[in-house]
Amino acid sequence: MRNVVISGSEIFPAYKRQRSYLATGILLDDVSNYAMLCNVQAVKKDGNIHKGMAGFWEENDMLQVPLGVIADWKEIRCPQKEMYIVENPSVFAMLCREFHPEQKRSCMCMNGQPRLSGLMILDLLAESGTTVYYGGDLDPEGILIAQKLADYYQGEFHFWHMDVKDYEKSRSEEVISPRRMKILEKITNERLLPVKEEIQKYKVAGYQEKLYIWR
C-alpha cells in the first residue's frame, strides 16, 4: 500500500482496518456492505456525474448502493446541503414516499450499526459542508449509535426526533433488560441526557416506527 494515508477512528475501531483493505483494492463483504440512499447526486473520482445516481434522482426513487460503488465517489451533493439519516428501514421508506418531486430532500438509512459504506458517506458529506440530521430508536443501543455518529461526524450534526416528547410518543411495552440498561452509562452527550433519564425512568424502549417524523 503505497502513498495511502488511512486515518483511524476510536469511535468505530474497525474503520481503519476496513479502509486499509479498501485502499489496496480489497472489498470486505461488498454484497451486504451498502448504503440506502434517496435523492442524492454523486460525482466520481474522474469528475463525472454518476449516471445511475442521476437516474434515481430523476425518478425520485430510493436505492441500495454497494461499497464498491461508493469507493469510486469523490463528492456527494444534497439539496439545501442537508441529509436526513434514520436507523430504521421502514421509516426510511416512509420518508422517501413523502418526498415531493419539486422539494427534494436527501435521506439515508443506517439500518442499525453503521457499516463502512455509511461512514464513507458521512466523510463525503462532511467534506461538502452538509448538515446532518439523525434520528434513531430511543433505546440504549439506539441512542448510543446516535452519540457515536455525532462524535464521528466532522460537520454540523443534529439529533432529529430524539427528545423527551418523541420518547413519550414512541414508547413500547418492551421492557429493557438490566444488561441493556447498563449501556446508558456510556451516554454523555448533553443533548441526549434528558431522553437517557426518561429511558432510565420507564425502562421501556421507544421505536421510530411509532413516530410520524417527517416535517
Side-chain angles (χ1 to χ4, degrees):
M1 184 171 60
R2 295 175 297 182
N3 301 320
V4 178
V5 178
I6 304 297
S7 59
S9 172
E10 296 179 359
I11 303 165
F12 299 105
Y15 184 56
K16 182 176 182 179
R17 178 180 65 86
Q18 293 172 332
R19 284 299 299 264
S20 297
Y21 279 115
L22 187 59
T24 60
I26 301 173
L27 295 179
L28 296 179
D29 197 16
D30 184 35
V31 175
S32 63
N33 204 323
Y34 58 84
M36 300 170 67
L37 296 169
C38 185
N39 288 333
V40 168
Q41 297 235 17
V43 180
K44 298 187 295 183
K45 290 179 178 178
D46 63 9
N48 293 317
I49 294 291
H50 190 284
K51 294 180 181 179
M53 296 299 295
F56 275 85
W57 169 280
E58 291 296 329
E59 295 295 331
N60 207 47
D61 279 340
M62 66 188 91
L63 75 158
Q64 293 183 353
V65 186
L67 176 62
V69 174
I70 297 169
D72 192 43
W73 293 354
K74 73 170 185 177
E75 183 184 351
I76 289 178
R77 297 172 182 173
C78 303
Q80 297 85 46
K81 285 199 171 184
E82 294 178 342
M83 169 66 85
Y84 293 82
I85 303 176
V86 294
E87 180 183 349
N88 187 281
S90 63
V91 175
F92 170 76
M94 180 196 72
L95 295 183
C96 294
R97 288 194 296 269
E98 292 298 314
F99 292 134
H100 190 283
E102 302 302 321
Q103 296 177 328
K104 290 181 180 288
R105 300 198 186 198
S106 297
C107 188
M108 178 167 75
C109 179
M110 281 293 184
N111 198 10
Q113 293 290 340
R115 300 180 178 92
L116 174 59
S117 53
L119 296 178
M120 291 180 66
I121 295 290
L122 287 178
D123 290 343
L124 291 171
L125 292 172
E127 290 173 10
S128 66
T130 301
T131 299
V132 164
Y133 298 86
Y134 177 81
D137 286 332
L138 294 168
D139 61 3
E141 296 85 354
I143 63 173
L144 181 59
I145 291 172
Q147 177 173 275
K148 287 182 176 181
L149 290 173
D151 290 342
Y152 178 84
Y153 190 63
Q154 299 297 305
E156 187 175 346
F157 186 101
H158 299 276
F159 297 114
W160 190 47
H161 290 278
M162 299 194 71
D163 59 23
V164 171
K165 290 183 178 180
D166 294 303
Y167 179 64
E168 292 172 354
K169 295 176 183 177
S170 66
R171 280 203 306 261
S172 69
E173 297 182 358
E174 179 189 323
V175 177
I176 302 171
S177 69
R179 178 186 61 81
R180 293 177 63 204
M181 288 295 293
K182 287 186 68 66
I183 295 173
L184 293 175
E185 296 174 5
K186 300 178 181 179
I187 304 302
T188 58
N189 188 295
E190 290 185 359
R191 293 176 289 174
L192 293 173
L193 292 181
V195 74
K196 166 188 172 180
E197 293 171 359
E198 287 296 296
I199 296 173
Q200 290 174 322
K201 176 181 177 181
Y202 289 97
K203 296 181 173 58
V204 295
Y207 291 112
Q208 275 194 311
E209 298 96 313
K210 300 186 73 173
L211 293 171
Y212 188 81
I213 68 175
W214 188 256
R215 58 181 172 185

